[in-house]
Amino acid sequence: MAESGEKGAETPLADQRLLLAPQPDQLDLAGEIDLDTDLDIIANTFRAVVDQHAFEAMIASWNAKLDKSGGDETAARALSGPLLRQLALARQAMETLDIPADNDPLNRAVQDVGGPAVVLSPDGRIAAANVPGVAAFGGRQGTFLERAVIDPRSGPDYAALRRAANARGNRSQAILRILPADPGRAPFLAEGYLLEAPGQDKSFVVIRSIEIDWTEEAGARLATAFGLSEAETEVARLFYETRSVERVAAARGVSVLTVRTQIKTILAKTEAGSQADLIRLLAMVASRAIIGRRGVTAAWRDPLGREEQLRLPDGRVVAWTWMGAEDGTPALLSRGFPMGYLLPAEAEARLRAAGVKLYALSRPGYGNATLDPALDALTDNLVALRAFLAARIAGPVIGVGTSNGIVPLLVDAAERPGRYRALIAIGYTGVFDRSGLQRLPLIQRTMMRMVTIAPWLVEMMAKSGHRMMQQHGVDWYLERAYRTRPRDMATYGDPNMAPLLRNACAHLLTQGHTAFTRDLMLARAPVDATLDRLAVPLLWLAPTEDGVFDAARYARVEARNPRIRMEPLSGAAELALYQRTDRIIEAIVAAARPA
C-alpha cells in the first residue's frame, strides 16, 4: 500500500552522476574525424567542462555539424567512432570533477555570513535565503517576507530601503531590528543594504544579521578555556542569546535564583567583571568559533508549505503542492521547460475566489519527486501522474500543461478520457507542431535535435550547463535561454520576477541535471497520433512572441481534431505564466465551471 505524508527532508543541490552511457557498438564505429566540424566539437566539449564561455561554442559547433549532415537520421550516421571515443573521454573527465564553487551574487550574499540572511526582490519577495535565514525570517524562496519580523521601530528604514530598490529613493543601507519568526530566538540587529545583480533593472534588498550566532564550537571552546561544566556552558549560551536571567530560568525550568548563582560562578571562572563584560567575552568566543564559516543556502522546499508526498511500493516518491481554494474544483498543473512553478499572489487569490484548487505536480526528477531511470521519460511521467490522480482526485480533472508538461496529460487523457474534463496547453509543446523545433533558439534547438541521435551526449551538455549554474548562478542559464526573446528578457530583467524564476529553477535542478535531459526526451516522445484520437476539449494558448508561433501551421493542428482550439496569446512568450497570468487563470476558471 502506498503511503502519503508531509514533505520530507531537504535535498541539497545535487551534482548527479551521468545516467546515460554510450553503447559499446557506437564507440567501435569506423569513420574519421571531420576536420570541418569534429575538432571544434571535441575542443569545445572539453573546454565547456570548466569554462562558462565555451558552452555556447560547443552548442554552435554541434549545430554546424547537424546542419552540414542534413536530417537527424543522416546526422546520426555522421557520428564516427573516433569522435565518440574522444567525447567519451570528456564524459569521464566530467565525472571526476568536484562541484564548483557558487559565485551567484544573491547566493553569495547569504553564504558570506554564518547568521540569518535573506535577499529580497524590490516588492519584498524572498529571492535567496540561508538555512538560519529561513528559520529567523519565517519564509522560503518565492514567498513574501512577513512584515511582522521587522520591528516597528525599524519600519521606516525598511520602507526607505524598499523605495530605493525600486529607484524611488536614495537610502542604500540601514540597521534593522529583527523580531524572529522563531519564538525561541531573541530579537537581533541586522544590516540592510542594496545589491545590484547583472541583467536586473532594479536592486535587491539584502538583510543579514550583524550579531554572531552561538555554535557548538563556541560552547566547546568556552568550556575548555574556562573549565565550565556542561550546565554552566548551557547557561552561558542562553544568557548570550537572551540577555535575560529571567528568560534563561524559564528556558531551563529552574528558578531565577538558581540561574543568578550559576552566572556568578561563570563570572568567577571567566574573571569577567560584570554581566556586560561576560556578554562581550561570549561574543568574542562566538566570533572566533565561526571564523571561515559560511552560511549554507537553503535547499529547495515547497515555499507554500503545503507539499504532500506519496511513497509508492517500489520506494519512489510522488510529490505535489496546491494553490487556490482548499476544497475547490480540482485542476492539475504539469509544468514543463519554462521556468514557472509558483503563480503570482494575485493569481492564487483569483483561484480561491473562483473555488478552484490547482494542484502543482512535481514531475519525476523535479523538487522532491524521484524518477525511475529504468523507465523511459514518458512512461515514468505517466506512472507518477496516475499514482497522484488515484490518490487525490476521484472525479474528472482539468489538466493544465506548460510546454512539454502537457505531454503526459495528453497521453493519459487520450487513453482515459473519463478522467479529464478538459485540457489546457500553454506555450510551444514540441508535440503539436514538430516544425517549430527549427524555430527554437540555438541552444534549445540543438539539444532537442541531439536527444534523439545520442542522448548521452545531450546529458553531458545538460550536466555542463548545470555545473555552470552551480558556479555562476541561475542567471547564467536564464540570460542565455531568453536573450533572443525580448518579451522574456524584459520579464527576466524584472527583479520582482527573480524569486519566482529562481524558485522554478531550483525546483527543476535541485536533484541535478537529469530531469532536464529527460524532459528533452519527453518533448520528442512519439505521441503525435494522440492528438487525432483525443476525446476531451483542448485549449491551446499559443504565445505570439516566443519566436516559434506560426498561425498557419498552428491552424493545421486545429484541423486535425475538432476538439482542439488554438488561441493566440498576445503579449506572451515562453514565460507566459507570468506575462499573461490573467488569461491563463481565466481559462482555468472557465473550464472549472459546471457544464
Side-chain angles (χ1 to χ4, degrees):
M1 176 73 69
E3 298 179 356
S4 64
E6 294 302 313
K7 55 198 176 204
E10 291 188 358
T11 304
L13 184 65
D15 190 39
Q16 282 178 319
R17 297 191 65 81
L18 293 162
L19 296 180
L20 305 176
Q23 297 299 316
D25 58 344
Q26 286 182 305
L27 302 184
D28 292 335
L29 289 173
E32 297 179 350
I33 294 289
D34 185 332
L35 299 181
D36 290 335
T37 59
D38 293 1
L39 292 181
D40 285 341
I41 289 174
I42 294 168
N44 291 326
T45 299
F46 274 95
R47 287 178 51 222
V49 173
V50 294
D51 181 356
Q52 62 167 318
H53 303 294
F55 181 86
E56 289 167 286
M58 174 183 65
I59 295 292
S61 57
W62 269 114
N63 185 67
K65 185 172 184 66
L66 293 174
D67 288 347
K68 179 181 179 182
S69 303
D72 290 354
E73 292 184 7
T74 306
R77 293 194 295 271
L79 300 181
S80 68
L83 170 62
L84 295 179
R85 288 194 290 273
Q86 288 295 318
L87 297 177
L89 291 175
R91 178 184 184 276
Q92 183 178 356
M94 185 179 292
E95 284 282 62
T96 62
L97 293 178
D98 293 332
I99 297 175
D102 191 341
N103 291 316
D104 182 301
L106 273 63
N107 286 344
R108 286 295 300 270
V110 300
Q111 291 173 351
D112 285 344
V113 294
V118 293
V119 179
L120 307 177
S121 63
D123 64 355
R125 198 184 285 264
I126 297 174
N130 61 13
V131 173
V134 170
F137 293 96
R140 289 191 166 276
Q141 183 187 61
T143 61
F144 285 99
L145 181 74
E146 293 290 341
R147 285 296 298 267
V149 304
I150 306 294
D151 189 299
R153 290 171 291 182
S154 296
D157 291 331
Y158 175 65
L161 278 175
R162 290 271 304 279
R163 286 195 298 272
N166 283 286
R168 296 197 304 270
N170 57 9
R171 183 68 177 269
S172 61
Q173 56 186 0
I175 299 297
L176 308 173
R177 190 169 188 266
I178 305 301
L179 307 177
D182 179 0
R185 183 186 178 98
F188 61 90
L189 295 179
E191 60 174 338
Y193 65 92
L194 300 186
L195 172 67
E196 295 183 0
Q200 309 292 306
D201 58 5
K202 297 177 183 177
S203 300
F204 294 91
V205 177
V206 179
I207 302 178
R208 309 194 305 186
S209 172
I210 56 175
E211 298 188 9
I212 303 169
D213 279 353
W214 191 263
T215 63
E216 291 185 8
E217 292 93 332
R221 283 171 177 259
L222 183 70
T224 300
F226 299 105
L228 269 58
S229 68
E230 182 177 341
E232 290 164 348
T233 302
E234 177 64 7
V235 168
R237 178 188 72 82
L238 290 170
F239 186 59
Y240 172 75
E241 292 179 345
T242 66
R243 306 322 200 245
S244 166
V245 172
E246 290 75 14
R247 292 182 67 179
V248 174
R252 290 182 58 77
V254 298
S255 68
V256 171
L257 180 60
T258 297
V259 174
R260 289 189 188 280
T261 300
Q262 290 174 312
I263 288 181
K264 286 182 180 178
T265 302
I266 296 170
L267 288 171
K269 289 185 176 181
T270 60
E271 298 183 0
S274 65
Q275 291 184 2
D277 288 337
L278 176 60
I279 291 294
R280 282 191 285 271
L281 172 66
L282 295 176
M284 182 185 70
V285 172
S287 65
R288 293 270 179 96
I290 65 170
I291 290 175
R293 171 174 290 196
R294 300 177 66 202
V296 177
T297 307
W300 186 89
R301 290 281 291 274
D302 172 30
L304 300 174
R306 301 168 183 162
E307 183 178 273
E308 294 183 73
Q309 296 182 1
L310 179 71
R311 188 171 296 277
L312 303 184
D314 62 2
R316 67 180 296 184
V317 173
V318 180
W320 66 89
T321 188
W322 60 271
M323 295 164 272
E326 186 168 5
D327 298 318
T329 301
L332 173 61
L333 174 65
S334 173
R335 65 159 286 192
F337 285 127
M339 291 305 166
Y341 177 70
L342 290 178
L343 291 173
E346 61 273 16
E348 181 171 12
R350 287 187 61 188
L351 290 172
R352 191 180 303 115
V356 175
K357 183 175 187 177
L358 181 63
Y359 289 96
L361 182 66
S362 292
R363 293 194 295 103
Y366 282 71
N368 295 316
T370 50
L371 58 82
D372 184 347
L375 299 176
D376 65 80
L378 177 57
T379 303
D380 198 19
N381 273 264
L382 286 172
V383 169
L385 170 61
R386 289 167 178 171
F388 163 76
L389 290 175
R392 281 294 177 266
I393 302 178
V397 67
I398 301 154
V400 184
T402 60
S403 184
N404 60 310
I406 193 66
V407 174
L409 294 172
L410 177 68
V411 173
D412 196 40
E415 295 179 1
R416 306 189 303 165
R419 281 309 251 127
Y420 293 85
R421 296 176 60 170
L423 296 179
I424 300 172
I426 304 165
Y428 176 69
T429 67
V431 174
F432 294 171
D433 172 34
R434 294 292 189 187
S435 71
L437 186 150
Q438 298 297 332
R439 302 189 294 276
L440 289 171
L442 179 64
I443 294 176
Q444 294 94 317
R445 179 173 76 248
T446 304
M447 296 181 76
M448 286 275 275
R449 294 179 67 186
M450 286 290 298
V451 79
T452 61
I453 299 172
W456 67 276
L457 292 175
V458 174
E459 187 185 26
M460 283 178 57
M461 297 177 186
K463 181 163 184 174
S464 177
H466 182 239
R467 289 178 61 84
M468 292 303 121
M469 280 186 273
Q470 288 175 299
Q471 185 172 3
H472 303 287
V474 297
D475 291 326
W476 179 90
Y477 169 76
L478 293 172
E479 195 275 333
R480 285 163 174 76
Y482 300 130
R483 65 169 55 142
T484 62
R485 299 167 176 162
R487 185 70 181 90
D488 286 330
M489 278 301 289
T491 302
Y492 157 66
D494 180 357
N496 290 322
M497 288 291 105
L500 299 174
L501 295 175
R502 283 172 165 265
N503 184 264
C505 283
H507 181 237
L508 168 62
L509 296 170
T510 189
Q511 295 184 44
H513 64 278
T514 304
F516 182 84
T517 307
R518 287 170 69 87
D519 262 12
L520 291 167
M521 297 176 176
L522 183 65
R524 299 300 305 269
V527 298
D528 304 57
T530 304
L531 287 172
D532 300 323
R533 56 190 176 89
L534 185 67
V536 300
L538 187 154
L539 171 63
W540 179 15
L541 298 176
T544 60
E545 299 182 31
D546 63 357
V548 184
F549 182 84
D550 186 319
R553 290 185 180 275
Y554 286 7
R556 298 175 191 171
V557 179
E558 288 184 298
R560 293 175 60 175
N561 188 327
R563 295 184 178 273
I564 299 175
R565 181 168 69 88
M566 188 277 292
E567 177 185 319
L569 195 60
S570 61
E574 185 174 301
L575 296 173
L577 200 64
Y578 302 129
Q579 297 155 349
R580 288 300 310 275
T581 311
D582 55 342
R583 177 63 190 112
I584 292 169
I585 297 300
E586 182 182 86
I588 296 172
V589 170
R593 294 192 186 106

